[in-house]
Amino acid sequence: MVLCDVCGRAVPSEAAAGRHPRRPSLCRRQPRCPLCAAAVGCEELRRHMDTAHPEPGPPGSRRPGAPAQCPFCGEAAGRELEEHVRARHGHLLGAPGADTGNGEQLYECPMCSLTCTNIQILEEHVDLHLEEHNFSEGGDMGDLELAQQLQTEEDERQRSEEEKREREEFEKLQRQYGLDNSGGFKQQFLKNMEREVDRGRMQPFEYHKRKADMMESLASGIDDGRTKTSGVIEALCKYYQSENKDVRRVWLSAGVDHFHSSLGDRGWGCGYRNFQMLLSSLLQNSFYNDCLRDTTLIPSIPKIQSMIEDAWREGFDPQGASHFNNRLHGSKAWIGACEIYSLLTSLRIKCQIIDFHKPTGPMGTHPRLFEWILHYYSADNEGGAKVVCTSKPPIYLQHQGHSRTVVGIEEKKNRSLCLLLFDPGCSSQQMQKLLKQNSDGTGLRLLRKFVGSLKEKQYQIVAVDGVLSLEEKAARCRASQVLTSEKIP
């Protein structure tokens, strides 16, 4: 005798034991699916597991549009799946809502009428039907659309982040170059003085006095002279007369007053301060009296802003004017070589922009810049004197983020060149050290810049070279519709 390993019933032989599980009428204990509790025959249990609960395959393993398969026998049943299951496998299904005999409630699948005793298993079973339905109705297209949607969302996110970065960078540049409508010289001056009072570095009475002086200066349009240091060029001339160490020759510009940044323009006013230095030299030269008859004193920074706006209204550099929305007054906008050129030309002062647009020496240096400045100062001064105090005006020197004023050039005994620069960043206290008669020359370190010290990618200079007639001024105004410069090299 052989026992059925499913229901435990005794059968006469091993051959009968093999036939016995395939005949539900003989097997008194029908096995149930462990996933959905469906009652199936022993032989059909494996087939049921393979078809109704297959292991998930890779995407696309089933041909799109293929009809749904029977979860019991694996045959394609298509839209007649429910009818097929009832006809071929009805003996495996219990009555809806029926009791199993031991008090367990049966739950029926709404799609194929399969019954089971566990509601969670039924939900999983129904989900399989829904997945099969989506797949057969074009699941591949749904995946493609989902992928496209996700890609679109990712593109939108990246575009939004890029726009945010660009907006933040633009606002940063606006703040950096004073175009953020945060006020101009007056607002910054008052704000910084209030900060000085709060920190105990300025007494209230001094605050009110300086505020009154500032308001008077703004009303008159004349610089108050608080940041000016005069006599430095003369002191340098005396120093070089007695200094014999390593300087072969030196050329100095005509007299120049140094102006440094104040509480009102710190961080953005270097271009205006360098114009004041250049103008201070021109005002000391009678050759320019006719051009400057309406400008006999050094204008304040807000006045210089208004003067540049006047040049724009005359028609100078319309492209540059549009960059500033035709407005400088009341802002902290930086200016550069183009604005200095437009302003000087509008005053009938002949000048030119020279653009040293790329390095001309090793390690990013600009020896051609030094050679050009040497020629500028020495062209009309070929004598053998060691110290040459020329009548040449100083040179406006611009590079990215800052500008300075060239007031002379040294030629060392080894033939190397060294520029002498007035920097608006140097305070009056530092500059006044150069005025001491017993100076040992250490203060010159503030002024000296060797070839290896100037390594910006690009430098521009504005050099004054005479006076314009009214016709020449008008011609330059027309030419400035597209402002150009002489490029070296």
Side-chain angles (χ1 to χ4, degrees), residues 40-85:
V40 295
C42 297
E43 184 68 20
E44 292 176 328
L45 179 58
R46 182 178 298 278
R47 185 186 303 162
H48 169 78
M49 292 292 293
D50 291 340
T51 55
H53 312 291
E55 291 292 330
S61 59
R62 177 179 174 184
R63 180 173 57 85
Q69 294 181 340
C70 173
F72 294 104
C73 64
E75 294 183 7
R79 296 180 180 275
E80 290 76 28
L81 176 61
E82 182 177 351
E83 183 178 346
H84 166 80
V85 172

Coordinates of all heavy atoms in Angstrom, one line a residue, residues 40-85:
V40 N -6.9 23.8 -5.7 CA -6.5 23.2 -7.0 C -6.0 21.8 -6.7 O -5.7 21.4 -5.6 CB -5.4 24.0 -7.6 CG1 -5.9 25.4 -8.0 CG2 -4.2 24.1 -6.6
G41 N -6.0 21.0 -7.8 CA -5.5 19.6 -7.7 C -4.0 19.6 -7.5 O -3.3 20.6 -7.7
C42 N -3.5 18.5 -7.0 CA -2.1 18.4 -6.8 C -1.2 18.7 -8.0 O -0.2 19.5 -8.0 CB -1.7 17.0 -6.3 SG -2.5 16.6 -4.7
E43 N -1.7 18.1 -9.1 CA -0.9 18.3 -10.4 C -1.0 19.8 -10.9 O -0.1 20.3 -11.5 CB -1.4 17.3 -11.4 CG -0.6 17.4 -12.8 CD 0.8 16.9 -12.6 OE1 1.1 16.2 -11.6 OE2 1.6 17.2 -13.4
E44 N -2.2 20.3 -10.6 CA -2.5 21.7 -11.2 C -1.9 22.8 -10.3 O -1.8 23.9 -10.7 CB -4.0 21.9 -11.3 CG -4.6 21.0 -12.4 CD -6.1 21.2 -12.4 OE1 -6.7 21.5 -11.3 OE2 -6.7 21.2 -13.5
L45 N -1.4 22.5 -9.1 CA -0.9 23.5 -8.2 C 0.3 24.2 -8.8 O 0.4 25.4 -8.7 CB -0.6 22.9 -6.8 CG 0.0 23.8 -5.8 CD1 -1.0 25.0 -5.5 CD2 0.3 23.1 -4.5
R46 N 1.3 23.4 -9.3 CA 2.5 24.0 -9.9 C 2.1 24.9 -11.0 O 2.7 26.0 -11.2 CB 3.5 22.9 -10.3 CG 4.8 23.5 -10.8 CD 5.8 22.4 -11.2 NE 6.1 21.6 -10.0 CZ 7.0 22.0 -9.1 NH1 7.7 23.1 -9.3 NH2 7.3 21.2 -8.1
R47 N 1.2 24.3 -11.9 CA 0.8 25.1 -13.1 C 0.2 26.4 -12.6 O 0.4 27.5 -13.2 CB -0.1 24.3 -14.0 CG -0.4 25.0 -15.3 CD -1.4 24.3 -16.1 NE -0.9 22.9 -16.4 CZ -1.7 21.9 -16.7 NH1 -3.0 22.1 -16.9 NH2 -1.2 20.7 -17.0
H48 N -0.7 26.3 -11.6 CA -1.4 27.5 -11.1 C -0.3 28.5 -10.6 O -0.5 29.7 -10.8 CB -2.3 27.1 -10.0 CG -2.9 28.3 -9.2 ND1 -3.9 29.1 -9.7 CD2 -2.5 28.8 -8.0 CE1 -4.1 30.1 -8.8 NE2 -3.3 29.9 -7.8
M49 N 0.6 28.1 -9.9 CA 1.6 29.0 -9.3 C 2.4 29.7 -10.4 O 2.7 30.9 -10.4 CB 2.6 28.2 -8.4 CG 2.0 27.7 -7.1 SD 1.6 29.0 -6.0 CE 3.2 29.6 -5.6
D50 N 2.7 28.9 -11.5 CA 3.5 29.4 -12.6 C 2.7 30.5 -13.4 O 3.3 31.4 -14.0 CB 4.0 28.3 -13.5 CG 5.1 27.5 -12.9 OD1 5.7 27.9 -11.9 OD2 5.3 26.3 -13.3
T51 N 1.4 30.3 -13.5 CA 0.6 31.1 -14.4 C 0.0 32.3 -13.6 O 0.0 33.4 -14.0 CB -0.5 30.4 -15.1 OG1 -1.3 29.7 -14.1 CG2 0.1 29.4 -16.0
A52 N -0.6 32.0 -12.4 CA -1.3 33.0 -11.7 C -0.4 33.9 -10.9 O -0.6 35.1 -10.6 CB -2.4 32.4 -10.7
H53 N 0.8 33.3 -10.4 CA 1.7 34.0 -9.6 C 3.1 33.8 -10.1 O 4.0 33.4 -9.4 CB 1.6 33.5 -8.1 CG 0.2 33.5 -7.6 ND1 -0.5 34.6 -7.4 CD2 -0.5 32.4 -7.3 CE1 -1.7 34.2 -6.9 NE2 -1.7 32.9 -6.9
P54 N 3.4 34.2 -11.4 CA 4.7 34.0 -11.9 C 5.7 35.0 -11.3 O 5.4 36.0 -10.8 CB 4.5 34.3 -13.4 CG 3.4 35.3 -13.4 CD 2.5 34.9 -12.3
E55 N 7.0 34.6 -11.3 CA 8.1 35.5 -10.9 C 8.1 36.7 -11.8 O 8.0 36.5 -13.1 CB 9.4 34.8 -10.9 CG 9.5 33.7 -9.8 CD 9.6 34.3 -8.4 OE1 10.1 35.4 -8.3 OE2 9.1 33.6 -7.5
P56 N 8.3 37.9 -11.3 CA 8.3 39.0 -12.2 C 9.5 39.0 -13.2 O 10.6 38.7 -12.8 CB 8.4 40.2 -11.3 CG 9.0 39.7 -10.0 CD 8.5 38.3 -9.9
G57 N 9.2 39.1 -14.4 CA 10.2 39.1 -15.5 C 10.7 40.5 -15.8 O 10.2 41.5 -15.3
P58 N 11.7 40.6 -16.6 CA 12.2 41.9 -17.0 C 11.2 42.7 -17.8 O 10.3 42.1 -18.4 CB 13.5 41.5 -17.8 CG 13.2 40.2 -18.3 CD 12.4 39.5 -17.3
P59 N 11.3 44.0 -17.8 CA 10.4 44.8 -18.6 C 10.4 44.4 -20.0 O 11.5 44.2 -20.6 CB 10.8 46.2 -18.4 CG 11.6 46.2 -17.1 CD 12.2 44.9 -17.0
G60 N 9.2 44.3 -20.6 CA 9.1 43.9 -22.0 C 9.2 42.5 -22.3 O 9.3 42.0 -23.4
S61 N 9.2 41.6 -21.3 CA 9.3 40.2 -21.5 C 8.1 39.6 -22.1 O 8.1 38.5 -22.6 CB 9.6 39.5 -20.2 OG 8.6 39.7 -19.2
R62 N 7.0 40.3 -22.0 CA 5.8 39.9 -22.6 C 5.4 40.8 -23.8 O 5.5 42.0 -23.7 CB 4.6 39.9 -21.6 CG 3.3 39.5 -22.2 CD 2.2 39.5 -21.2 NE 0.9 39.3 -21.8 CZ -0.2 39.3 -21.2 NH1 -0.2 39.6 -19.9 NH2 -1.4 39.1 -21.8
R63 N 5.0 40.2 -24.9 CA 4.7 41.0 -26.1 C 3.6 41.9 -25.9 O 2.5 41.5 -25.4 CB 4.4 40.0 -27.3 CG 4.1 40.8 -28.6 CD 4.0 39.8 -29.7 NE 3.0 38.8 -29.4 CZ 1.7 38.9 -29.7 NH1 1.3 40.0 -30.2 NH2 0.8 37.9 -29.4
P64 N 3.7 43.2 -26.1 CA 2.6 44.2 -25.9 C 1.4 43.7 -26.7 O 1.5 43.3 -27.9 CB 3.2 45.5 -26.4 CG 4.6 45.3 -26.4 CD 4.9 43.9 -26.6
G65 N 0.2 43.8 -26.1 CA -1.0 43.5 -26.8 C -1.4 42.1 -26.7 O -2.5 41.7 -27.2
A66 N -0.6 41.2 -26.1 CA -0.9 39.8 -26.0 C -2.1 39.6 -25.0 O -2.2 40.3 -24.1 CB 0.3 39.0 -25.5
P67 N -3.0 38.7 -25.4 CA -4.2 38.5 -24.5 C -3.8 38.0 -23.1 O -2.8 37.3 -23.0 CB -5.0 37.5 -25.3 CG -4.0 36.8 -26.1 CD -3.0 37.8 -26.5
A68 N -4.6 38.3 -22.1 CA -4.4 37.9 -20.8 C -4.5 36.3 -20.7 O -5.3 35.7 -21.4 CB -5.4 38.5 -19.8
Q69 N -3.6 35.7 -19.9 CA -3.5 34.3 -19.8 C -4.3 33.8 -18.5 O -4.4 34.5 -17.5 CB -2.1 33.8 -19.7 CG -1.3 34.1 -21.0 CD 0.1 33.6 -20.9 OE1 0.6 33.4 -19.8 NE2 0.8 33.4 -22.0
C70 N -4.8 32.6 -18.7 CA -5.5 32.0 -17.5 C -4.5 31.7 -16.4 O -3.4 31.2 -16.6 CB -6.1 30.7 -18.0 SG -6.9 29.7 -16.6
P71 N -4.8 32.1 -15.2 CA -3.9 31.9 -14.1 C -3.8 30.4 -13.6 O -3.0 30.1 -12.8 CB -4.6 32.8 -13.0 CG -6.0 32.8 -13.3 CD -6.1 32.8 -14.8
F72 N -4.7 29.6 -14.2 CA -4.6 28.1 -13.8 C -3.9 27.3 -14.8 O -3.0 26.5 -14.5 CB -6.0 27.6 -13.6 CG -6.8 28.3 -12.4 CD1 -7.7 29.2 -12.6 CD2 -6.4 27.9 -11.1 CE1 -8.4 29.8 -11.6 CE2 -7.1 28.5 -10.1 CZ -8.0 29.5 -10.3
C73 N -4.2 27.4 -16.1 CA -3.6 26.6 -17.1 C -2.7 27.3 -18.1 O -2.0 26.6 -18.9 CB -4.8 25.9 -17.9 SG -5.8 27.0 -18.9
G74 N -2.6 28.6 -18.0 CA -1.7 29.3 -18.8 C -2.2 29.6 -20.2 O -1.5 30.2 -21.0
E75 N -3.4 29.1 -20.6 CA -3.9 29.3 -21.9 C -4.3 30.8 -22.1 O -4.7 31.4 -21.2 CB -5.1 28.4 -22.2 CG -4.7 26.9 -22.2 CD -5.9 26.1 -22.6 OE1 -6.9 26.7 -22.9 OE2 -5.8 24.8 -22.5
A76 N -4.1 31.3 -23.4 CA -4.5 32.6 -23.6 C -6.1 32.7 -23.7 O -6.7 31.9 -24.4 CB -4.0 33.1 -25.0
A77 N -6.6 33.5 -22.9 CA -8.1 33.6 -22.8 C -8.6 35.0 -23.3 O -9.8 35.1 -23.6 CB -8.5 33.3 -21.4
G78 N -7.8 36.0 -23.3 CA -8.2 37.3 -23.8 C -9.3 37.9 -23.0 O -9.4 37.8 -21.8
R79 N -10.3 38.4 -23.7 CA -11.4 39.1 -23.0 C -12.4 38.1 -22.4 O -13.2 38.4 -21.5 CB -12.2 39.9 -24.0 CG -11.4 41.1 -24.6 CD -12.2 41.9 -25.6 NE -11.5 43.0 -26.2 CZ -11.3 44.2 -25.6 NH1 -11.9 44.4 -24.4 NH2 -10.6 45.1 -26.2
E80 N -12.3 36.8 -22.8 CA -13.2 35.8 -22.2 C -12.5 35.0 -21.0 O -12.8 33.9 -20.8 CB -13.6 34.7 -23.3 CG -14.5 35.3 -24.4 CD -13.7 36.2 -25.3 OE1 -12.5 36.0 -25.5 OE2 -14.4 37.1 -25.9
L81 N -11.6 35.7 -20.3 CA -10.9 35.1 -19.3 C -11.8 34.6 -18.2 O -11.7 33.4 -17.8 CB -9.9 36.1 -18.6 CG -9.1 35.6 -17.4 CD1 -8.3 34.3 -17.8 CD2 -8.2 36.7 -16.8
E82 N -12.8 35.4 -17.8 CA -13.7 35.0 -16.7 C -14.5 33.7 -17.1 O -14.7 32.8 -16.4 CB -14.6 36.1 -16.3 CG -15.6 35.8 -15.2 CD -16.4 37.0 -14.8 OE1 -16.1 38.1 -15.3 OE2 -17.3 36.8 -14.0
E83 N -15.0 33.8 -18.4 CA -15.8 32.7 -18.9 C -15.0 31.4 -19.0 O -15.4 30.3 -18.6 CB -16.4 33.0 -20.2 CG -17.3 31.9 -20.8 CD -17.9 32.4 -22.1 OE1 -17.8 33.6 -22.5 OE2 -18.4 31.5 -22.8
H84 N -13.7 31.6 -19.4 CA -12.8 30.4 -19.5 C -12.6 29.8 -18.2 O -12.6 28.6 -18.0 CB -11.5 30.9 -20.1 CG -10.4 29.9 -20.0 ND1 -10.2 28.8 -20.9 CD2 -9.4 29.8 -19.1 CE1 -9.2 28.1 -20.5 NE2 -8.6 28.7 -19.4
V85 N -12.3 30.6 -17.1 CA -12.0 30.1 -15.8 C -13.2 29.4 -15.3 O -13.1 28.3 -14.7 CB -11.6 31.2 -14.9 CG1 -11.5 30.7 -13.4 CG2 -10.2 31.8 -15.3

